[in-house]
């Protein structure tokens, strides 16, 4: 019983830490929902699963946002020659 309470407390602390450190909790709600269901099915560890799902969901959303920013940054540049001068549009 003590281990279950300790695991629940740890999951809540992790979730609170992630939520307070990031103003935008993108991916956390979806990850928490999936993790909570998976944890409940795996053995009544819904709270622990929700905490882990929130952390993983937030990480994946941040990774996706970084990839999108990198792609948008590269496509916004104009066509330049190897000497750094703009080439005429064809």
């Amino acid at each position: 019983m003590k281990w279950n309470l300790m695991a629940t407390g740890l999951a809540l602390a992790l979730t609170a830490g992630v939520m307070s450190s990031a103003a935008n909790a993108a991916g956390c709600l979806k990850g928490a929902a999936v993790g909570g269901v998976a944890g409940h099915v795996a053995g009544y560890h819904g709270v622990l699963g929700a905490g882990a799902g929130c952390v993983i969901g937030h990480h994946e959303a941040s990774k996706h946002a970084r990839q999108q920013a990198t792609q948008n940054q590269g496509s916004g540049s104009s066509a330049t020659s190897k000497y750094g001068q703009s080439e005429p549009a064809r």
Side-chain angles (χ1 to χ4, degrees):
M1 184 71 169
K2 287 183 181 181
W3 287 106
N4 191 15
L5 288 176
M6 222 163 46
T8 302
L10 179 62
L12 290 174
L14 283 173
T15 304
V18 169
M19 295 293 282
S20 66
S21 67
N24 185 7
C28 182
L29 293 177
K30 189 187 332 181
V34 172
V37 170
H40 175 72
V41 171
Y44 300 106
H45 297 293
V47 175
L48 188 61
C54 177
V55 171
I56 293 168
H58 181 71
H59 171 72
E60 291 296 321
S62 298
K63 187 167 63 171
H64 181 69
R66 278 194 309 269
Q67 287 174 349
Q68 290 292 354
T70 303
Q71 287 176 354
N72 290 342
Q73 210 174 33
S75 65
S77 63
S78 63
T80 58
S81 68
K82 62 182 176 182
Y83 299 109
Q85 298 173 347
S86 295
E87 294 181 358
R90 298 178 188 183

